[in-house]
Amino acid sequence: MFTKKIFSFSAILILLVSLISGCSSSKSSSDGKVEIEFWYGLGGKLGKGVEKKIKEFNNSQNEVKVIGVAQGDYDETLQKLQAAIAAKKVPAAVLLKNDPMNAFAKKGALAPLTTYIKEDADFKPEDFIEAFYQQGTINGEQYALPLYGTTQVLYYRKDMFEKAGIAPDQLKTWESLSAAAKQLTKKNGSSTEVYGWEPMWGPDNMIDAALSNGAKYLSEDGKKVLIDSPEWTQAWEFFKKGIHEDQTMAIHHDGQGWEYWYKTIDDVMQGRAAGYTGSSGDQGDLDFSILAAYPQPGWEGKQAAPHAGAQMGAILTLATKEQKEAAFKWLKFFTNAENTADWSINSGYIPVRKSAQDVPSYKEFAAKNPQINIPLQQAQIATPPFVDPTGGKIYDALVKAADKVEIEGISAEKALKEAQKEAQRALEKVQK
């Protein structure tokens, strides 16, 4: 899954100081192997996929034993990692989203990987997809490796579209998607029985739409936050209108972990919605005899430009030298061509190495399952992740604004103006 309503990680970095010495929760096992923990916030089939790779790695060599520790979601991982760092009892390796990874690295919590990479002749960093690999590079040092790439795409029910006489290319623009959603919506009096479309809760779907409308986060000189510009407000108002006025769209929100995400998928699979915007990583849980995938649209006369990013594997500074070396071996294993290809086949996430596309199993799967190529196509025209100069406070402001628009039905203009003021104060504070 590409995204979720994100915990305000800007607040959890306050105590990240004095990270030169400490201890790790990892240890040596009784059989002499270096035992390390790997924390990840994935559930369902994705979580089982991680455990499968851990088992394969542990069986492939006699030096390292990885213990997978599943967290409820990405947010819970951040919160528990902060507590672990404060207690100086950390996992050796962790799965992080790009923005918090940057923040942790800049605070000294993550160990540089550059030396390990240079000393490993078989690693071949040039084989990584550059846009993903660069997300782990900070000031010339590599602090994390992309474990899998992700972007959000459209999924729709083929039977509903066919019955309504709607061709898939009607999803090429947000305007035509809105028209299709109205046509597909079924109401019984004042209640809606079938929604034409379901965006995913949180700011990310709406951020993607804004970027495809020409929106920018910051001015060219980096001094002004632009999240209340017309490009932003027009795109976000589109969703507010669909959810609260036309009632052709709906969102699930709150709940435990990824509950809202799976409820959204279930609505489409059970015929309560004709389609939704979800992660490339949803593909492993979807039935493509019922569904089809389509790239995110642009607006009339504008090129689509949604985000595409990578989830990053990092090593903690507080881990011992032996544990860091062991963790690098694990990250290298997870990202080799065969494993990133296999992960993509089973999850829908984008492989991180170019050579994955030459793996026979991947080539065979893609020929029979063309939906796996949709995220790859989209990633080629997508916008790189935004590196928030405030350490996450601009994004935090957008999270709050998204709830106001999607849940409360407040106008996009009002919600984003409030968000801009909050974000601008944060930007000016770090620029002093």
Side-chain angles (χ1 to χ4, degrees), residues 11 39 62 91 120 133 137 198 201 217 243 291-292 342 351 357:
W39 288 11
N62 297 311
D120 191 330
Y133 192 74
T137 307
E198 292 193 6
W201 176 43
Y217 288 95
I243 296 167
L291 303 182
D342 183 65
Q357 298 177 67

Side-chain angles (χ1 to χ4, degrees), residues 43-334:
K45 186 173 181 179
L46 295 173
K48 291 178 181 177
V50 173
E51 289 299 325
K52 177 175 177 285
K53 288 300 168 193
I54 290 173
K55 185 176 181 180
E56 290 174 359
F57 173 72
N58 288 341
N59 291 337
S60 72
Q61 43 73 50
N62 297 311
E63 299 172 338
V64 179
K65 180 179 180 181
V66 174
I67 298 173
V69 180
Q71 310 297 341
D73 49 40
Y74 296 128
D75 293 358
E76 185 177 308
T77 303
L78 292 178
Q79 296 174 54
K80 288 191 174 180
L81 187 60
Q82 163 62 17
I85 291 170
K88 294 189 177 181
K89 193 172 179 64
V90 300
V94 64
L95 175 68
L96 292 171
K97 295 191 73 174
N98 177 263
D99 214 18
M101 182 279 298
N102 268 272
F104 275 110
K106 289 175 181 177
K107 292 291 183 179
L110 304 183
L113 308 182
T114 309
T115 299
Y116 300 116
I117 293 168
K118 287 181 177 179
E119 293 178 350
D120 191 330
D122 298 325
F123 186 74
K124 295 181 173 58
E126 68 276 5
D127 184 40
F128 280 86
I129 294 174
E130 186 176 6
F132 294 152
Y133 192 74
Q134 286 183 344
Q135 290 172 40
T137 307
I138 303 171
N139 297 327
E141 289 276 6
Q142 197 71 25
Y143 282 92
L145 299 180
L147 299 194
Y148 49 91
T150 184
T151 190
Q152 296 210 47
V153 300
L154 308 182
Y155 297 107
Y156 67 94
R157 286 194 62 116
K158 294 182 284 189
D159 56 346
M160 289 187 177
F161 271 60
E162 184 177 349
K163 186 176 180 180
I166 298 173
D169 63 6
Q170 196 161 333
L171 300 176
K172 281 186 176 179
T173 68
W174 285 110
E175 290 91 344
S176 59
L177 184 150
S178 176
K182 289 179 181 178
Q183 189 176 343
L184 291 159
T185 298
K186 294 182 180 179
K187 294 187 177 182
N188 183 1
S190 59
S191 64
T192 303
E193 294 183 339
V194 177
Y195 287 96
W197 203 262
E198 292 193 6
M200 197 62 73
W201 176 43
D204 296 301
N205 278 184
M206 296 194 294
I207 288 174
D208 279 354
L211 295 173
S212 295
N213 197 32
K216 306 292 182 185
Y217 288 95
L218 300 172
S219 59
E220 290 296 327
D221 61 7
K223 294 182 178 179
K224 185 175 182 182
V225 179
L226 302 178
I227 59 174
D228 62 340
S229 72
E231 293 84 1
W232 283 90
T233 57
Q234 289 165 7
W236 283 41
E237 190 66 20
F238 170 90
F239 292 94
K240 181 255 182 180
K241 185 175 185 292
I243 296 167
H244 294 283
E245 296 176 25
D246 300 337
Q247 296 183 347
T248 57
M249 297 183 182
I251 59 162
H252 288 282
H253 57 89
D254 298 312
Q256 295 295 316
W258 297 105
E259 181 180 349
Y260 73 97
W261 198 288
Y262 290 118
K263 283 184 176 181
T264 303
I265 294 174
D266 193 53
D267 274 357
V268 180
M269 296 304 299
Q270 299 301 321
R272 295 187 293 269
Y276 80 105
T277 310
S279 169
S280 57
D282 292 351
Q283 292 195 12
D285 290 319
L286 301 178
D287 183 349
F288 285 98
S289 67
I290 298 172
L291 303 182
Y294 201 85
Q296 269 203 62
W299 299 84
E300 291 288 352
K302 296 181 179 179
Q303 174 70 48
H307 273 306
Q311 310 301 337
M312 311 300 290
I315 297 173
L316 277 296
T317 301
L318 285 173
T320 67
K321 179 178 181 292
E322 292 77 14
Q323 290 160 355
K324 289 172 184 172
E325 292 171 350
F328 182 75
K329 291 176 182 177
W330 157 240
L331 297 181
K332 178 186 174 182
F333 175 86
F334 195 97

Side-chain angles (χ1 to χ4, degrees), residues 10-26:
S10 58
I12 71 173
L13 298 174
I14 298 172
L15 300 178
L16 290 180
V17 295
S18 302
L19 297 174
I20 296 175
S21 63
C23 60
S24 168
S25 59
S26 307

